[in-house]
């Protein structure tokens, strides 16, 4: 996954940027040529803006800080939804004749359209994300009923003090500061994190339409098929949607079944099984194979995070498992 380059701009009126504007182009969102955002400072001011974030296959997540405030809008219509959560200050979104005000504790969800303009206050910090509609619709259908084509009908505003939405905020911040995998390693954890964001949004953001899952099979058969599929594919990127499809169940059914029968979520089960594989390989070959190489083999590319998870599960550091002859 690519990391959006940190942008720190102080743009003086009359410099090389015509009309006090500059283009901030974020890397492509799932095959789009680009995600162009046009920004300009408040009249008569120097624009001060810092943005940091990350792109994935299905999303862009960022955090922006501006001491001056700014006006922004997309240069083109995209089949995408934007979520913006102010941490400090406030902003007004103008959508045609409609004006929507969002401040601390209130999140705003809107379509990405050129006519939608955002006016931020000075001393402004915002956490934002853009999701393509296709994976949102696919995840919504997978959560409730894979046999039907469904689309979420999100409300514009959300109270970010609610427990589920606070968890969404924490996950978004974690993604903003998610480190790239070292040495060109494939990060098999990030697709799970990205999928988690989508399901958190679907599960927690208020909607005009709510439905319940009607896709059911014998629970024991679902669980067996799901765990067998996970165990057979632990060495590559794996998503909950993929596991649910293999098990013949909706994502919601799978989540409920894992929690009721195994006491954990499907994501946690996948991570735990990978940790068990690492533990097994450390005992078997830790004296000849570096710990980092074994961790990479099972999808752990961030060694500090891996060590923390390993000790939390087994009560020991990975190096404590290596045969004494290797120390």
């Amino acid at each position: 996954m690519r990391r959006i380059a940190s942008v720190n701009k102080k743009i003086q009126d009359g410099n090389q940027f015509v009309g006090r504007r500059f283009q901030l182009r974020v890397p492509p969102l799932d095959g789009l040529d680009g995600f162009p955002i046009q920004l300009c400072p408040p009249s008569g001011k120097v624009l001060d803006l810092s943005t940091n974030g990350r792109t994935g296959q299905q999303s862009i997540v960022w955090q922006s800080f501006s001491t001056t405030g700014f006006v922004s809008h997309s240069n083109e219509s995209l089949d995408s939804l934007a979520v913006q959560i102010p941490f400090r200050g406030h902003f007004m979104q103008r959508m045609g004749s409609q004006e929507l005000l969002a401040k601390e504790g209130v999140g705003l969800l809107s379509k990405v359209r050129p006519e939608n303009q955002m006016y931020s206050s000075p001393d402004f910090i915002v956490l934002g994300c853009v999701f393509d509609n296709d994976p949102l619709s696919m995840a919504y259908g997978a959560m409730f009923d894979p046999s039907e084509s469904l689309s979420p009908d999100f409300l514009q505003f959300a109270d970010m003090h609610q427990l589920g939405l606070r968890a969404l905020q924490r996950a978004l911040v974690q993604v903003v500061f998610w480190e790239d995998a070292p040495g060109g390693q494939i990060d098999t954890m990030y697709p799970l994190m990205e999928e988690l964001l989508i399901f958190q949004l679907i599960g927690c953001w208020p909607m005009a339409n709510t439905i319940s899952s009607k896709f059911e099979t014998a629970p024991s058969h679902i669980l067996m098929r799901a765990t067998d599929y996970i165990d057979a594919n632990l060495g590559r990127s794996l998503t909950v949607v993929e596991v649910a499809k293999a098990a013949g169940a909706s994502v919601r059914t799978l989540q409920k079944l894992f929690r009721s029968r195994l006491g954990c979520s499907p994501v946690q089960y996948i991570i735990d099984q990978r940790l068990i594989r690492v533990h097994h390989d450390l005992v078997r070959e830790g004296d000849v194979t570096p710990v980092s190489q074994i961790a990479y083999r099972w999808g752990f590319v961030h060694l500090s995070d891996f060590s923390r998870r390993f000790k939390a599960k087994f009560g020991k550091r990975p190096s404590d498992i290596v045969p004494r002859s290797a120390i």
Side-chain angles (χ1 to χ4, degrees), residues 1 47 182 251 262 279:
M1 300 303 164
L47 178 59
V251 168
L262 301 179
H279 188 285

Side-chain angles (χ1 to χ4, degrees), residues 136-154:
L136 278 175
S137 296
M138 289 176 61
Y140 188 69
M143 175 171 278
F144 293 104
D145 191 345
S147 65
E148 294 187 10
S149 178
L150 303 169
S151 295
D153 185 11
F154 294 110

Side-chain angles (χ1 to χ4, degrees), residues 252-313:
R252 174 156 290 189
T253 296
L254 194 71
Q255 290 172 333
K256 289 181 177 179
L257 190 54
F258 266 71
R259 291 192 182 280
S260 64
R261 299 293 180 89
L262 301 179
C264 64
S265 68
V267 170
Q268 189 58 52
Y269 180 85
I270 292 170
I271 294 173
D272 283 349
Q273 293 305 304
R274 284 175 171 161
L275 288 171
I276 290 171
R277 297 294 179 93
V278 171
H279 188 285
H280 176 269
D281 286 358
L282 284 174
V283 172
R284 187 184 62 178
E285 56 180 281
D287 55 342
V288 295
T289 307
V291 172
S292 60
Q293 186 173 330
I294 294 175
Y296 292 156
R297 179 187 301 165
W298 296 109
F300 297 101
V301 297
H302 305 294
L303 293 182
S304 59
D305 177 68
F306 157 69
S307 297
R308 178 182 58 80
R309 291 181 184 275
F310 191 95
K311 188 172 183 180
K313 182 167 181 62

Side-chain angles (χ1 to χ4, degrees), residues 36-306:
I37 301 173
Q38 193 169 74
L39 300 128
C40 62
S43 178
K45 291 189 177 182
V46 178
L47 178 59
D48 184 1
L49 174 68
S50 175
T51 299
N52 192 44
R54 187 179 179 92
T55 57
Q57 293 298 316
Q58 303 171 351
S59 64
I60 298 173
V61 182
W62 72 91
Q63 189 174 45
S64 293
F65 169 70
S66 176
T67 59
T68 59
F70 56 87
V71 180
S72 69
H73 66 86
S74 170
N75 279 346
E76 59 186 81
S77 294
L78 302 176
D79 188 22
S80 307
L81 293 178
V83 175
Q84 298 179 85
I85 306 166
F87 278 11
R88 191 161 73 200
H90 62 272
F91 72 92
M92 192 249 314
Q93 180 115 353
R94 181 173 291 163
M95 304 166 61
S97 60
Q98 189 178 23
E99 293 185 350
L100 306 173
L101 180 66
K103 55 184 180 179
E104 285 183 63
V106 177
L108 176 65
L109 185 147
S110 61
K111 296 179 180 179
V112 179
R113 297 286 186 269
E115 60 269 22
N116 295 348
Q117 292 190 319
M118 173 180 167
Y119 300 82
S120 84
S121 68
D123 196 23
F124 180 63
I125 299 178
V126 64
L127 181 65
C129 57
V130 171
F131 293 103
D132 196 6
N133 269 325
D134 284 345
L136 278 175
S137 296
M138 289 176 61
Y140 188 69
M143 175 171 278
F144 293 104
D145 191 345
S147 65
E148 294 187 10
S149 178
L150 303 169
S151 295
D153 185 11
F154 294 110
L155 298 181
Q156 290 176 318
F157 289 105
D159 178 3
M160 302 308 298
H161 295 106
Q162 294 181 16
L163 188 61
L165 291 172
R166 286 167 60 188
L168 174 63
Q169 289 180 81
R170 289 194 296 270
L172 289 171
V173 171
Q174 184 177 353
V175 168
V176 167
F177 297 102
W178 191 283
E179 296 294 334
D180 284 330
Q185 296 285 336
I186 297 175
D187 191 341
T188 58
M189 290 297 179
Y190 191 77
L192 280 173
M193 188 66 182
E194 194 171 32
E195 185 184 53
L196 177 64
L197 290 179
I198 291 176
F199 281 120
Q200 282 186 315
L201 181 68
I202 292 172
C204 301
W205 198 276
M207 295 190 193
N209 61 329
T210 56
I211 62 174
S212 57
S213 176
K214 59 183 180 182
F215 192 89
E216 295 292 342
T217 311
S220 58
H221 293 165
I222 293 175
L223 191 61
M224 184 180 299
R225 285 198 293 264
T227 54
D228 285 350
Y229 187 83
I230 289 171
D231 292 343
N233 293 278
L234 282 173
R236 64 173 182 82
S237 290
L238 201 57
T239 66
V240 177
V241 169
E242 180 185 345
V243 174
K245 185 177 180 181
S250 70
V251 168
R252 174 156 290 189
T253 296
L254 194 71
Q255 290 172 333
K256 289 181 177 179
L257 190 54
F258 266 71
R259 291 192 182 280
S260 64
R261 299 293 180 89
L262 301 179
C264 64
S265 68
V267 170
Q268 189 58 52
Y269 180 85
I270 292 170
I271 294 173
D272 283 349
Q273 293 305 304
R274 284 175 171 161
L275 288 171
I276 290 171
R277 297 294 179 93
V278 171
H279 188 285
H280 176 269
D281 286 358
L282 284 174
V283 172
R284 187 184 62 178
E285 56 180 281
D287 55 342
V288 295
T289 307
V291 172
S292 60
Q293 186 173 330
I294 294 175
Y296 292 156
R297 179 187 301 165
W298 296 109
F300 297 101
V301 297
H302 305 294
L303 293 182
S304 59
D305 177 68
F306 157 69

Side-chain angles (χ1 to χ4, degrees), residues 7-21:
V7 181
N8 291 282
K9 298 288 187 182
K10 288 186 179 294
I11 303 174
Q12 186 71 44
D13 290 354
N15 281 359
Q16 68 269 34
F17 299 96
V18 178
R20 304 192 306 257
R21 295 169 185 262

